[in-house]
Amino acid sequence: MVASYIGISSLNSSCFPPRPCFAKRKPFAVSAAMSDDPISDWILSEGNATQITRTSPIGGGCINNARRYDTDAGSFFVKTNRGIGPSMFEGEALGLGSMYETRTIRVPRPFKVGPLPTGGSYIIMEFIEFGASRGNQSVLGRKLAEMHKAGKSEKGFGFDVDNTIGSTPQINTWTSDWIEFYGKHRLGYQLKLALDQYGDSTIYQKGKRLVKNMAPLFQNIVIEPCLLHGDLWSGNISSDKNGEPVILDPACYYGHNEAEFGMSWCAGFGGSFYNAYFEVMPKQPGFEKRREIYLLYHYLNHYNLFGSSYRSSAMSIIDDYLLMLGV
């Protein structure tokens, strides 16, 4: 989803440097009790800090507010949303935690999610000091492929919770068949949203025809459920001070690894990225023919979030596939 702020994005390793001040912290948890200031309370108890020395805003977000909390036990990154309950941040935290556990590519470690006393919710996570650039493309490609290779699911395609792509609900009901999952919970959901929101029967009817007939695009390949970041565009990619890639602000689920490139139209992936990626996760037959079926989900989401400027891109992809498939 195209929106971010400086530092870590507000939406929504093999580089794991030592984190001595985090060592005794409990894994991510959801808050049960309520206090006047649950963020500071957690930092000064389970966060192992005795003093919060400074808080400072991190600007640029369009959905959540973000602040850096500096303490005598290190820094924390905190996002809040005054209008949405904890479920959105719970989905983000579970995604971050799943990626973190692969020990492949660096992500901010989530610590706590809970409700705010005046309404809304918060998430506390590791603060990562970013470097001056997005890092090396080939290293990013290799580490992303290593995450896809390590993060597998025996439950099929989906995720343990529904989450959001930007602010759009993302349904992750476990499904054994990828084509069914992608057709129903990705393309189908967005098409129905466009119909309900804009009355766009043309894109809905043509899109549904594509969903019904897209199976030939997936012939003669093996599709395994891989852990996906789910919203990998340039605003969600950075590097730490050592130049190692960092990915953040996910919309995780287990899916076809090629779906990870669905936001490539604004991710800036170059040849070195793909070459390094395919050395770990080999390219399968028909990859080029499937590329735009995965772009389509994100173009539809942008159409539903931001309006008609994205409609023509989505419609063009649908028309091209209908012509290619002869339906």
Side-chain angles (χ1 to χ4, degrees):
M1 220 297 287
V2 181
S4 71
Y5 47 73
I6 299 169
I8 291 183
S9 161
S10 69
L11 280 175
N12 270 268
S13 27
S14 336
C15 169
F16 283 86
R19 303 183 183 93
C21 64
F22 295 152
K24 295 182 180 179
R25 291 181 190 137
K26 297 179 181 179
F28 152 70
V30 178
S31 176
M34 181 71 73
S35 74
D36 290 337
D37 188 357
I39 297 169
S40 295
D41 286 353
W42 186 91
I43 289 173
L44 294 172
S45 57
E46 294 181 71
N48 297 330
T50 61
Q51 182 182 12
I52 297 172
T53 57
R54 184 180 66 169
T55 69
S56 52
I58 299 177
C62 68
I63 293 181
N64 305 305
N65 294 314
R67 298 189 73 85
R68 172 177 175 170
Y69 282 65
D70 293 316
T71 79
D72 57 353
S75 296
F76 296 86
F77 180 75
V78 178
K79 294 196 295 188
T80 59
N81 188 299
R82 299 290 176 178
I84 301 176
S87 61
M88 179 179 71
F89 288 144
E90 288 168 14
E92 179 177 355
L94 287 169
L96 287 170
S98 296
M99 294 191 297
Y100 181 88
E101 290 302 319
T102 68
R103 297 298 195 271
T104 53
I105 190 167
R106 193 170 185 195
V107 300
R109 184 182 179 189
F111 294 128
K112 187 72 170 179
V113 169
L116 293 168
T118 55
S121 55
Y122 68 89
I123 180 172
I124 304 171
M125 66 183 79
E126 171 190 8
F127 182 87
I128 297 176
E129 194 77 53
F130 288 165
S133 71
R134 291 177 60 206
N136 186 291
Q137 285 251 323
S138 61
V139 177
L140 173 63
R142 175 173 57 81
K143 287 182 175 288
L144 184 66
E146 289 171 353
M147 185 184 83
H148 291 166
K149 194 170 185 176
K152 301 295 185 182
S153 169
E154 296 181 354
K155 298 179 181 180
F157 302 97
F159 202 53
D160 283 332
V161 298
D162 294 339
N163 48 28
T164 56
I165 180 78
S167 59
T168 307
Q170 185 167 257
I171 308 303
N172 295 316
T173 304
W174 290 110
T175 308
S176 60
D177 181 77
W178 169 249
I179 299 173
E180 178 185 349
F181 176 87
Y182 191 68
K184 180 178 181 181
H185 298 307
R186 293 296 180 264
L187 298 183
Y189 186 90
Q190 294 285 348
L191 291 166
K192 183 61 163 57
L193 198 58
L195 179 65
D196 293 344
Q197 184 166 259
Y198 302 122
D200 195 336
S201 59
T202 300
I203 203 166
Y204 176 78
Q205 291 169 2
K206 286 189 172 185
K208 292 292 283 186
R209 183 155 34 114
L210 171 58
V211 168
K212 184 179 179 180
N213 292 280
M214 67 181 181
L217 298 172
F218 301 92
Q219 288 179 342
N220 303 317
I221 62 170
V222 176
I223 304 177
E224 294 182 324
C226 299
L227 178 62
L228 307 181
H229 174 282
D231 192 13
L232 202 60
W233 68 287
S234 59
N236 292 341
I237 302 168
S238 190
S239 63
D240 64 17
K241 291 192 295 184
N242 298 320
E244 292 291 329
V246 179
I247 59 175
L248 47 129
D249 205 14
C252 285
Y253 65 100
Y254 290 88
H256 186 196
N257 67 300
E258 294 175 8
E260 192 77 282
F261 309 134
M263 282 291 288
S264 60
W265 48 281
C266 54
F269 298 144
S272 61
F273 168 87
Y274 287 108
N275 289 339
Y277 181 89
F278 289 129
E279 285 180 4
V280 179
M281 293 284 287
K283 184 189 297 187
Q284 296 206 68
F287 169 76
E288 286 76 14
K289 289 184 178 180
R290 288 186 297 275
R291 288 188 72 156
E292 293 204 345
I293 203 74
Y294 293 130
L295 303 186
L296 178 57
Y297 173 57
H298 295 277
Y299 276 123
L300 286 169
N301 185 48
H302 278 66
Y303 174 35
N304 285 316
L305 285 174
F306 304 120
S308 60
S309 61
Y310 291 96
R311 184 186 185 277
S312 61
S313 296
M315 195 73 253
S316 177
I317 291 173
I318 292 171
D319 285 338
D320 287 347
Y321 272 118
L322 292 178
L323 181 63
M324 177 196 301
L325 296 166
V327 294

